[in-house]
Amino acid sequence: MTSLVLTHAKFQTLELFRIPIAVVGSAFWPAASMLAFVVPFAGDDPVGATYATASMITFAIMNTNLFQYGIGVSEDRAQPWDPFVRTLAAGATPRFLGRILTGLLMMVVSLAPVVLIAALFTEATLSPLAFLAAVPVCAAIAVPFILMGLSIGYALPQKAALVVAQILFLPLAFGGGLLTPPGGAPGFIEDLAPFLPTGGAVRLMWTTVTDFPFDPTATLALAGWTVLFGALAVWAHRRDEGRRFG
């Protein structure tokens, strides 16, 4: 099983890197936001730069997983050989897990420029212990967005999945407070943000790398979204299987 998963991950990764714009696009928005907004406006403030970097890391995680799985899975489903792959003895599991590994790699690619820009061009500070704690937190907050992407990818055809992903990512980023410092968004956004998946995710990041207080309401909401997206992903996958194989 492991060799099959790695084989699928290898070929999916090669397929992505054969289209450089797909790789560049994953990292563009978070890096561009860092350069356009964080560096000039908060770069000299250690606290503000650290908060902003955590927000952009959350933005990158959301953006990468939403598009990687939402559009990637729908593209796979459109391929004529996709039903054949599902009938092989190994089943669809190795290919699915290979896509998860590829998605995690792309997430690292999208996070690297944000971290480098913060380190080189801002006064953001982070202790070694906080950095180590941030790694599993990044993995944890990626889960709801992976499941959201899978829900879109299995439920919608390719063109519709692209449109839905594009419609969702900016309102989720703004509504979750990723584009403003803590307390800097309009009042209704501040009230709404803890109940959105992006708001819960960024608050966990802020708590991990700054002295931002832990928000149990936002964390519970994030857990609820994770369960909901997981249920939707399972439902969409089963519906797709039923339509294809009756």
Side-chain angles (χ1 to χ4, degrees):
M1 173 69 79
T2 302
S3 62
L4 288 173
V5 171
L6 293 176
T7 299
H8 279 287
K10 173 184 176 181
F11 282 102
Q12 289 173 8
T13 302
L14 288 174
E15 185 178 6
L16 274 174
F17 277 82
R18 283 173 182 156
I19 309 174
I21 190 62
V23 180
V24 174
S26 297
F28 175 77
W29 281 112
S33 298
M34 283 289 293
L35 291 172
F37 302 110
V38 177
V39 173
F41 298 109
D44 294 332
D45 177 10
V47 175
T50 304
Y51 272 110
T53 300
S55 296
M56 288 301 101
I57 285 174
T58 307
F59 182 87
I61 290 171
M62 183 267 293
N63 182 62
T64 302
N65 288 303
L66 187 60
F67 282 91
Q68 173 68 23
Y69 297 105
I71 300 173
V73 170
S74 64
E75 287 178 344
D76 282 349
R77 290 171 54 236
Q79 298 296 329
W81 41 266
D82 182 65
F84 171 72
V85 172
R86 298 193 188 191
T87 63
L88 296 176
T93 301
R95 187 176 175 209
F96 174 79
L97 294 178
R99 176 166 292 285
I100 296 293
L101 289 179
T102 302
L104 292 175
L105 174 62
M106 292 304 297
M107 191 171 77
V108 172
V109 169
S110 69
L111 292 178
V114 174
V115 175
L116 286 174
I117 291 170
L120 296 175
F121 302 112
T122 77
E123 297 298 321
T125 58
L126 194 64
S127 69
L129 183 60
F131 180 85
L132 290 176
V135 173
V137 170
C138 285
I141 66 174
V143 174
F145 301 111
I146 291 172
L147 294 172
M148 184 193 300
L150 291 173
S151 302
I152 294 170
Y154 281 120
L156 299 173
Q158 184 177 346
K159 291 182 179 180
L162 175 60
V163 172
V164 169
Q166 289 175 328
I167 289 173
L168 284 176
F169 95 97
L170 192 57
L172 281 174
F174 183 72
L178 305 187
L179 305 181
T180 55
F188 75 97
I189 294 295
E190 290 292 327
D191 294 336
L192 175 65
F195 300 99
L196 294 180
T198 41
V202 77
R203 278 158 178 74
L204 272 181
M205 283 298 301
W206 288 342
T207 299
T208 304
V209 301
T210 71
D211 59 357
F212 188 83
F214 176 71
D215 189 335
T217 300
T219 303
L220 285 174
L222 182 63
W225 282 111
T226 303
V227 172
L228 175 61
F229 291 142
L232 287 174
V234 170
W235 169 80
H237 181 265
R238 288 179 176 174
R239 189 187 69 156
D240 184 55
E241 290 282 321
R243 286 181 173 181
R244 289 170 180 262
F245 303 108

